[in-house]
Amino acid sequence: MKTIITYGTFDLFHIGHVNLLRRARDLGDRLIVGVSTDEFNLVEKSKTTIVPYEHRVKVLESCRYVDLVIPECSWQQKVEDIQKYSVNTFVMGNDWQGKFDELKSQCSVVYLERTRDISSTSIKQAMAVLLQLNRELQ
Ligand code: C2G
């Protein structure tokens, strides 16, 4: 059993997330996803999410590429998770290139090419523009 792990916020679930999860799952037999809690996002990433943590968990659990969803509450939990789940490979998008190389002492570390031209932030910005246009047309 080759276990893969990855972490993220996965707000406003989109094709970039799907591509990442599909390619990560294709590297092994089981994919575990650490989903950032709302508090971790706010305190550690200065990110506020549109979709609350509980919903982001359910969306990921419904994804065919995901076998287990766990909470991501701290930057430091990765080593413990890798050991607890006997992880073979840690995967992240290459916007994190090199940032988790210290995990190479624990398992393989793979950075995958990000999907171009889509992000939760760009979706939020597009939604804000559409809402404003809608107000002006009222
Ligand atoms: N991603 C991607 N292509 C995109 C957008 C995101 O491949 N167009 C990848 C990111 O590189 C990441 C994963 O999808 O590997 C989740 O992205 P985010 O939800 O933005 O995760 P992030 O906020 O970067 O949190 O400890 C790691 C952090 O929790 C990562």
Side-chain angles (χ1 to χ4, degrees):
M1 164 81 78
K2 188 173 178 190
T3 298
I4 316 295
I5 199 166
T6 189
Y7 295 80
T9 304
F10 297 99
D11 193 22
L12 299 171
F13 200 58
H14 56 68
I15 188 63
H17 298 141
V18 172
N19 289 339
L20 187 285
L21 295 172
R22 184 188 72 254
R23 288 175 297 161
R25 178 65 176 74
D26 285 349
L27 294 174
D29 311 295
R30 176 173 75 146
L31 174 60
I32 301 172
V33 180
V35 184
S36 313
T37 62
D38 294 335
E39 183 185 9
F40 179 64
N41 271 319
L42 198 57
V43 174
E44 299 295 334
K45 299 191 226 171
S46 307
K47 260 186 173 182
T48 51
T49 52
I50 298 283
V51 180
Y53 170 73
E54 295 73 18
H55 293 187
R56 289 185 282 117
V57 168
K58 293 226 181 310
V59 167
L60 282 160
E61 285 174 340
S62 71
C63 176
R64 65 169 60 184
Y65 305 117
V66 177
D67 298 284
L68 175 66
V69 178
I70 61 173
E72 180 186 31
C73 312
S74 76
W75 294 111
Q76 294 75 27
Q77 73 179 76
K78 294 182 175 69
V79 172
E80 187 183 322
D81 291 342
I82 287 167
Q83 291 168 354
K84 177 178 177 182
Y85 296 103
S86 305
V87 168
N88 302 89
T89 306
F90 168 87
V91 171
M92 285 302 295
N94 64 359
D95 47 318
W96 291 90
Q97 186 74 41
K99 297 289 194 310
F100 298 109
D101 284 357
E102 75 279 5
L103 296 176
K104 286 181 178 177
S105 62
Q106 303 292 324
C107 64
S108 305
V109 174
V110 173
Y111 300 100
L112 297 173
E113 187 75 25
R114 267 177 74 93
T115 300
R116 302 172 67 81
D117 306 324
I118 187 144
S119 67
S120 304
T121 304
S122 65
I123 294 172
K124 279 190 254 184
Q125 287 166 347
M127 285 164 70
V129 168
L130 289 173
L131 281 171
Q132 183 56 30
L133 280 174
N134 195 32
R135 278 192 209 103
E136 288 165 9
L137 291 172
Q138 297 301 334

